[in-house]
Amino acid sequence: MSERTVVVTGAAGFIGRWVVAELLDRGVTVRGLDDFSNGSRENVAAFEDDDRFSLAEGDVCDPEAVAAVFDDDVDACIHLAAEIDVQESLDAPMDHFEANVVGTQNVLEACRKRGTRLGLVGTCMVYDMLDAGEGIDEDHPVKPASPYAGSKLAGENMAESYYHGYDLPVTILRPFNTYGPYQKTGMAGGVVSIFVDRDLNDETLKIFGDGTQTRDLLYATDCARFIVDGTFSDDAVGEVVNAGTGEDISINDLADLVATDGTDVEHVEHHHPQSEVQRLRCDPSKAEELLGWTPEVSLEEGVDRLRAWMRERQR
Ligand SMILES: NC(=O)c1ccc[n+]([C@@H]2O[C@H](COP(=O)([O-])OP(=O)(O)OC[C@H]3O[C@@H](n4cnc5c(N)ncnc54)[C@H](O)[C@@H]3O)[C@@H](O)[C@H]2O)c1
């Protein structure tokens, strides 16, 4: 894969920085684009000295900022830039519409102008809950229950229309809930990162609702490998592909796994029960069949790695 050049939107975000790491590791030149609304230069500081990495500040809602990172040297684009917070999407739906729908449309137009291959990163949050069967496959019904999910699905629909309408090589990649180092630990963070951070600080782990809701938790490096493999696979063009571990864990059990001696766990009122997806477990068999991708990091191992990383940072 060396000698290739890839545009990564949202490169300074949590998953973005892992995707950048994976690409650089494979010898790919990376042009990042980020408006730093939720990412930071610190997230990608490790790559600063790498000549193959550059990062432009820009908003995907601005077509010129998007066009500026594309030229004929670009072999593919991985589109991650998005507003990601479910509660914020309920509070300010226009912001999510702008970033996730208009922003995606601008990326699609930049790709269409040059026939650039696109790996569009969607999300498992578009699916209806699993109430029967072993896992959520790509044919599982969708049910966008928040403007976050709705805007992500709308972006996917536009991307699918560019595949059918213009033969643009697009792959829609839907990772399940992802966790690991560099994820935020505040409200807009992920549940694993929030719990581990609170445990390390001897703070109570707060569970929204009754804690029976489940998640299929994917470690950041597994997610990044999936996104890069999916983007470059000819077999996956025009496809939707899920990635997860194939196991789900309730938030109650996750709290038990993370909490060390002396850490309390309490249930608090859910901010948005109507937008919660009660059960999320991935069926990752299509990713294995098409890409040969399987997850490598177990939840226990991932939590240990995250804890070690956070401890190191606290020093
Ligand atoms: N974290 C997860 O569990 C998860 C799971 C599945 C899919 N995803 C998807 O992966 C992508 C990345 O998520 P993340 O968790 O790394 O979030 P993140 O917020 O850490 O990363 C998103 C990045 O995009 C940037 N950004 C936001 N709006 C922008 C705009 N208008 N223009 C340019 N840059 C902008 C942010 O500054 C940030 O650096 C999103 O598309 C999200 O929907 C995330």
Side-chain angles (χ1 to χ4, degrees):
M1 204 188 277
S2 53
E3 315 264 321
R4 287 187 180 177
T5 298
V6 175
V7 165
V8 179
T9 72
F14 158 53
I15 296 177
R17 68 87 56 203
W18 288 106
V19 166
V20 171
E22 179 72 27
L23 288 166
L24 292 175
D25 228 37
R26 297 190 195 193
V28 176
T29 296
V30 179
R31 291 185 197 169
L33 176 69
D34 204 295
D35 69 353
F36 303 114
S37 53
N38 202 38
S40 66
R41 289 204 184 268
E42 202 194 338
N43 284 348
V44 286
F47 320 124
E48 236 168 33
D49 296 334
D50 194 325
D51 293 342
R52 288 167 306 143
F53 177 62
S54 59
L55 180 60
E57 179 166 2
D59 184 344
V60 288
C61 298
D62 171 4
E64 284 174 17
V66 176
V69 288
F70 280 80
D71 61 25
D72 289 338
D73 291 341
V74 174
D75 299 287
C77 171
I78 294 176
H79 179 44
L80 288 144
E83 293 281 337
I84 60 152
D85 186 65
V86 171
Q87 184 59 46
E88 279 178 18
S89 83
L90 290 160
D91 296 340
M94 268 317 278
D95 293 349
H96 277 245
F97 181 82
E98 289 288 339
N100 301 356
V101 185
V102 178
T104 298
Q105 175 66 15
N106 289 335
V107 170
L108 283 165
E109 275 296 283
C111 289
R112 180 170 80 90
K113 282 196 183 114
R114 299 175 191 274
T116 311
R117 177 186 283 259
L118 175 67
L120 182 89
V121 181
T123 169
C124 65
M125 297 302 283
V126 299
Y127 286 120
D128 198 356
M129 66 175 270
L130 181 70
D131 55 7
E134 282 302 294
I136 293 175
D137 67 14
E138 294 75 2
D139 297 323
H140 189 86
V142 292
K143 180 190 166 188
S146 66
Y148 168 61
S151 60
K152 291 290 292 184
L153 197 55
E156 282 191 13
N157 283 336
M158 287 310 299
E160 215 173 314
S161 79
Y162 274 54
Y163 168 67
H164 293 296
Y166 303 110
D167 212 15
L168 186 74
V170 173
T171 303
I172 293 167
L173 302 158
R174 288 185 185 152
F176 277 54
N177 295 82
T178 303
Y179 70 99
Y182 299 95
Q183 187 169 36
K184 289 205 164 166
T185 55
M187 275 301 284
V191 61
V192 184
S193 302
I194 295 168
F195 279 3
V196 173
D197 178 65
R198 292 186 74 88
D199 180 62
L200 280 174
N201 290 302
D202 297 324
E203 289 168 354
T204 302
L205 308 192
K206 293 185 178 162
I207 295 174
F208 294 143
D210 68 5
T212 58
Q213 65 271 39
T214 75
R215 291 291 179 265
D216 183 332
L217 296 161
L218 185 61
Y219 191 69
T221 51
D222 282 333
C223 180
R225 197 164 39 81
F226 163 70
I227 290 170
V228 173
D229 287 349
T231 300
F232 280 106
S233 162
D234 290 334
D235 292 339
V237 169
E239 301 286 336
V240 176
V241 194
N242 289 343
T245 65
E247 302 288 334
D248 57 338
I249 183 170
S250 73
I251 302 304
N252 286 330
D253 288 345
L254 179 69
D256 285 346
L257 175 76
V258 171
T260 51
D261 279 353
T263 297
D264 294 327
V265 176
E266 74 175 24
H267 291 85
V268 297
E269 198 181 330
H270 205 310
H271 297 288
H272 48 251
Q274 78 284 14
S275 299
E276 180 62 280
V277 189
Q278 182 60 24
R279 183 157 182 243
L280 279 170
R281 175 199 276 193
C282 179
D283 174 351
S285 38
K286 187 171 175 182
E288 183 167 5
E289 280 157 28
L290 271 184
L291 313 175
W293 176 92
T294 50
E296 288 171 353
V297 183
S298 69
L299 181 59
E300 290 73 13
E301 168 71 19
V303 167
D304 283 351
R305 287 191 198 178
L306 178 59
R307 196 188 295 278
W309 180 81
M310 281 186 178
R311 252 203 211 111
E312 190 61 35
R313 276 208 142 187
Q314 278 185 346
R315 282 194 191 157

